Amino acid sequence: MENGSNGSGLLNSGLFNNPTLGQLNLEKVISEIANFINEDPASFYRLVIGTDSQAKKINGEAEIDFVTAIVIHRAGRGGRYFWSKTKLKSKLVLRDKIYRETLLSLELAEKFVPAIRKVVPPSKYDLEIHIDVGPIGPTRDMIREVVGMVSGSGYTAKTKPESYGAFVVADRHT
């Protein structure tokens, strides 16, 4: 695993990227999200965490890029996102990739949620974990399992076609 992994294979260095602001640590991401919300405190927000992955071969060696995105969306009036990439030098079957994507999102949520709640009251946003599974295609048989993982952890799960944080935003950077 690269990027300062903690050894579990499920967490990167903690640095996030933003198209406008460049590279930031999680504390700065939280600060930017709080500032965005404070620009229009009367609005309601959707706060999303989602992960997508892409397998490839580099010099004949299997590698998977996992990208986790944090999205803050002001309903009907734009949003911002931040993303972080983790690399795994391994080959995984689809089921294992989906589990890893879901676990990365949950692992980030466990660090992110207590920190964001210190600066933004939970009444200002809905928090969702976006999972890259849907009713059409090879992941349809996994929906109940991964939604159960997310729900069992206390979060709201969204799947395709509603899980844009994973299959649109994170996918853009895999």
Side-chain angles (χ1 to χ4, degrees):
M1 190 65 109
E2 297 176 359
N3 291 342
S5 166
N6 66 0
S8 73
L10 295 176
L11 189 64
N12 64 17
S13 65
L15 293 176
F16 289 82
N17 299 287
N18 174 270
T20 305
L21 303 171
Q23 203 167 58
L24 309 111
N25 62 24
L26 186 59
E27 183 178 308
K28 186 67 175 157
V29 169
I30 290 166
S31 175
E32 290 297 324
I33 290 170
N35 290 341
F36 182 70
I37 291 172
N38 289 333
E39 288 173 8
D40 188 356
S43 289
F44 190 74
Y45 296 84
R46 179 179 285 168
L47 192 50
V48 170
I49 297 174
T51 303
D52 191 26
S53 63
Q54 180 69 47
K56 54 185 149 188
K57 283 198 174 205
I58 306 291
N59 298 325
E61 193 174 333
E63 181 176 287
I64 304 170
D65 288 341
F66 290 91
V67 173
T68 302
I70 300 172
V71 180
I72 183 70
H73 178 234
R74 187 181 295 143
R77 301 208 330 268
R80 295 189 181 157
Y81 74 94
F82 308 85
W83 61 274
S84 185
K85 185 180 285 191
T86 302
K87 293 182 183 291
L88 176 64
K89 295 202 182 271
S90 179
K91 183 178 180 183
L92 297 175
V93 296
L94 179 62
R95 180 173 296 280
D96 291 338
K97 275 182 37 176
I98 297 297
Y99 280 136
R100 290 236 184 181
E101 290 174 8
T102 305
L103 286 170
L104 273 168
S105 293
L106 289 172
E107 191 172 272
L108 177 59
E110 291 302 313
K111 293 172 69 176
F112 178 78
V113 170
I116 194 73
R117 285 184 174 162
K118 290 179 183 176
V119 293
V120 179
S123 61
K124 296 296 301 167
Y125 59 87
D126 282 335
L127 178 70
E128 301 172 353
I129 304 292
H130 286 196
I131 311 167
D132 192 21
V133 296
I136 300 171
T139 62
R140 69 183 172 277
D141 296 333
M142 298 182 63
I143 292 174
R144 288 177 56 125
E145 297 168 40
V146 291
V147 167
M149 287 171 59
V150 171
S151 299
S153 297
Y155 301 105
T156 300
K158 295 289 184 179
T159 61
K160 289 178 180 175
E162 297 177 296
S163 61
Y164 63 85
F167 80 89
V168 175
V169 178
D171 178 72
R172 174 181 286 182
H173 298 284
T174 56

